[in-house]
Amino acid sequence: MRLRRNGNLTILGSIKSWKSLLDLKRKDQISTAALSTSTVTTTGRRRIPAVFNLVRLYSTEELQQPQLSVDLIKMMEQRLSSIENRNAHLQRFLNQPELTPSEYSTANKELRKLRDSVHLITELRAKQKEIQELKSVISECQDDKDMQKMASEELSEATEGEKELQLLLLKSLLPKDDADERDSILEVRAGAGGEEASLFAMDIFKMYEKYSAKKGWKYEVLEIAESDLKGYKEAIASISGSGVYGKLKFESGIHRVQRVPVTEKGGRVHTSAVSVAILPQADQLDVKLRNEDLKIDTYRSGGSGGQHANTTNSAVRITHVPSGITVSIQDERSQHMNKAKALKILCAKLYEIERLRFQSSRSKLRLEQIGSGDRSERIRTYNFPQGRVTDHRVGITTHSIDDVMQGEDLDTFIDALLLREEMDAIASFSST
């Protein structure tokens, strides 16, 4: 065993960067002011303001890592042992020559799901072994004060590393929302504010389009209802990619804008509101959609789309009779394509209703997402005269409003909300 002579903490590659920053802040090795003005350069991204905003705007007590009780660690160890045993069983099973392709595929899929947890468990076991060896060194070197001091420093670092790994493993064991990996339906609607609300709805809709492009997601416009000034009274899109719903789910709610409208002659700042809904995508099998539950009407579409679109019954309205939900699509010239889009949206709405019905508890954050569209029920404010965007749920403000609207700095808020959700789940897990 090789003892390191310096006292610098080695940050594991799997630990997120904000943790190391918070550790430094708690140890007063860097100031809050320095954090709030620093810039981090990473591959494929210009900067990561979310890390610094979190350190600056969250109190140390609020982001304090939960203390893992002895009982909680025992519970977790039992679960880790079962994962290790299952991993070993699957390894042996896959080595059997008489496996059918179906059996091999099923077992290999389960093994892949365990891979990240097994990797962390391996790191934890190695760290625990290191701790035991260091304790032996300290016990055997009673007369060598220098060696004892070095070993004690190493033991302190190793113990901190063990706690970090235990916390990461705890997070991996927390209940996960199965919908997080699904694609999403985005709905943006103009609320209070007239034409200005419609124009801002268009800006928000395009903001998510740019953010999706940045993430490499597919963004498909399903329906747009334009206002007189070519804003969006309502706009719906399908967003497809890896973990889309899990990333965007906290964007649901009321987005408020404060700016001088293009129709304002006196230069006064107006306040308008836009509602955003993020729904996990589903199909007819997920919601058990029956033909007898659907009322389908066709009619001639209005607005743009060409002569053919306005002279044939290409628009489709589908009503789900049991729930009363109605979806209308007239975006495409083809009645078949409009029907397919309408069914996609309807399935997402029904799936969300069913999913929430079976959730025994929903976080306070999730409950606050739904509003009526009134400007007083806000989750985020975009103040253009001051160049700032504030998320009222986590108290984070950025003064790069242009970057947010271009989809560049939206992760400032998304990452903070996901972090809050994670910490709430850990605190709940620790208290049970």
Side-chain angles (χ1 to χ4, degrees):
M1 178 184 59
R2 179 170 168 235
L3 294 173
R4 286 179 284 113
R5 291 183 176 270
N6 60 35
N8 296 329
L9 177 63
T10 299
I11 303 298
L12 296 173
S14 57
I15 306 299
K16 294 180 180 177
S17 59
W18 61 265
K19 291 182 180 176
S20 59
L21 290 169
L22 289 173
D23 287 339
L24 292 172
K25 181 175 183 289
R26 294 190 189 104
K27 296 175 183 178
D28 293 325
Q29 293 181 15
I30 51 178
S31 67
T32 301
L35 282 174
S36 64
T37 58
S38 299
T39 299
V40 171
T41 301
T42 58
T43 302
R45 185 166 181 185
R46 180 167 55 86
R47 56 185 175 136
I48 306 179
V51 173
F52 303 104
N53 283 329
L54 287 174
V55 176
R56 178 166 55 89
L57 293 168
Y58 279 57
S59 66
T60 300
E61 292 75 20
E62 191 174 359
L63 279 178
Q64 184 71 38
Q65 292 181 3
Q67 297 298 315
L68 304 186
S69 66
V70 175
D71 290 338
L72 182 59
I73 291 176
K74 286 181 179 179
M75 291 170 52
M76 188 171 66
E77 280 292 341
Q78 292 176 355
R79 176 62 178 149
L80 299 185
S81 295
S82 67
I83 292 175
E84 289 175 305
N85 293 334
R86 184 60 179 170
N87 180 71
H89 169 75
L90 290 170
Q91 294 279 11
R92 292 192 299 269
F93 182 76
L94 288 171
N95 287 329
Q96 297 179 13
E98 64 274 13
L99 289 182
T100 66
S102 176
E103 289 174 329
Y104 184 89
S105 176
T106 301
N108 193 47
K109 182 178 180 180
E110 182 181 353
L111 190 65
R112 287 198 304 270
K113 288 183 178 180
L114 295 177
R115 183 166 49 200
D116 290 343
S117 293
V118 170
H119 177 71
L120 285 174
I121 293 172
T122 301
E123 286 192 58
L124 177 63
R125 298 305 183 218
K127 188 63 66 177
Q128 291 171 337
K129 181 180 179 181
E130 179 185 352
I131 289 172
Q132 292 304 315
E133 291 175 347
L134 287 167
K135 287 180 177 179
S136 297
V137 170
I138 294 172
S139 177
E140 295 169 1
C141 299
Q142 298 293 332
D143 297 331
D144 191 336
K145 299 303 181 182
D146 289 339
M147 181 62 75
Q148 266 201 336
K149 181 180 178 180
M150 289 168 54
S152 296
E153 291 175 353
E154 291 289 325
L155 178 60
S156 177
E157 294 177 14
T159 302
E160 286 300 314
E162 180 189 34
K163 290 179 181 178
E164 293 280 8
L165 287 167
Q166 286 174 333
L167 185 59
L168 283 175
L169 281 164
L170 173 60
K171 292 177 184 179
S172 72
L173 298 177
L174 294 174
K176 295 178 177 60
D177 189 342
D178 292 337
D180 281 354
E181 294 302 316
R182 288 179 178 260
D183 300 333
S184 292
I185 295 293
L186 163 69
E187 296 183 338
V188 178
R189 290 184 175 85
E195 280 291 346
E196 167 61 8
S198 296
L199 291 170
F200 185 60
M202 177 181 66
D203 293 340
I204 289 291
F205 193 71
K206 291 182 177 179
M207 177 186 74
Y208 289 118
E209 182 176 13
K210 294 168 184 174
Y211 181 76
S212 298
K214 174 174 169 285
K215 293 293 183 182
W217 297 338
K218 179 182 178 183
Y219 191 93
E220 179 189 2
V221 176
L222 300 181
E223 175 76 350
I224 292 177
E226 291 187 337
S227 66
D228 293 339
L229 294 181
K230 301 300 180 180
Y232 295 168
K233 292 187 289 186
E234 178 181 1
I236 305 173
S238 168
I239 308 176
S240 305
S242 176
V244 170
Y245 179 73
K247 191 77 171 173
L248 293 178
K249 58 185 176 182
F250 292 125
E251 290 300 291
S252 294
I254 307 305
H255 297 238
R256 190 178 68 163
V257 60
Q258 295 172 328
R259 64 183 180 185
V260 179
V262 294
T263 55
E264 170 59 45
K265 304 302 183 182
R268 293 175 300 175
V269 174
H270 289 224
T271 298
S272 303
V274 166
S275 67
V276 173
I278 302 289
L279 305 174
Q281 283 197 32
D283 56 36
Q284 296 186 40
L285 294 177
D286 290 319
V287 296
K288 299 180 175 60
L289 203 60
R290 302 183 304 174
N291 290 330
E292 54 265 34
D293 291 336
L294 302 178
K295 179 184 177 184
I296 302 177
D297 300 310
T298 59
Y299 56 97
R300 292 185 181 182
S301 62
S304 59
Q307 182 179 3
H308 177 73
N310 292 303
T311 57
T312 63
N313 291 339
S314 59
V316 174
R317 181 189 302 110
I318 300 180
T319 303
H320 183 250
V321 177
S323 65
I325 295 175
T326 298
V327 178
S328 300
I329 295 290
Q330 58 177 359
D331 191 59
E332 301 288 347
R333 296 185 179 185
S334 162
Q335 182 185 116
H336 176 74
M337 294 178 68
N338 282 330
K339 180 180 177 182
K341 286 185 174 183
L343 283 172
K344 178 184 285 190
I345 297 170
L346 178 61
C347 286
K349 290 177 178 290
L350 293 174
Y351 176 74
E352 177 73 348
I353 292 173
E354 193 68 17
R355 192 175 69 90
L356 295 179
R357 181 180 299 164
F358 285 97
Q359 286 183 344
S360 58
S361 63
R362 294 164 64 189
S363 68
K364 181 181 179 182
L365 184 60
R366 179 65 182 87
L367 285 170
E368 290 174 345
Q369 289 182 5
I370 306 302
S372 65
D374 184 79
R375 61 171 62 94
S376 64
E377 299 176 356
R378 64 191 189 278
I379 65 168
R380 192 174 295 156
T381 295
Y382 304 73
N383 187 304
F384 280 81
Q386 297 179 14
R388 64 173 173 84
V389 183
T390 299
D391 193 290
H392 305 285
R393 296 163 294 180
V394 288
I396 287 182
T397 292
T398 177
H399 289 274
S400 55
I401 191 169
D402 291 337
D403 289 339
V404 172
M405 299 309 296
Q406 292 298 318
E408 291 291 333
D409 280 359
L410 195 55
D411 277 325
T412 298
F413 308 109
I414 290 176
D415 290 346
L417 291 161
L418 293 175
L419 175 59
R420 170 65 69 82
E421 178 193 37
E422 183 180 77
M423 295 189 70
D424 286 348
I426 292 173
S428 177
F429 193 94
S430 302
S431 64
T432 56

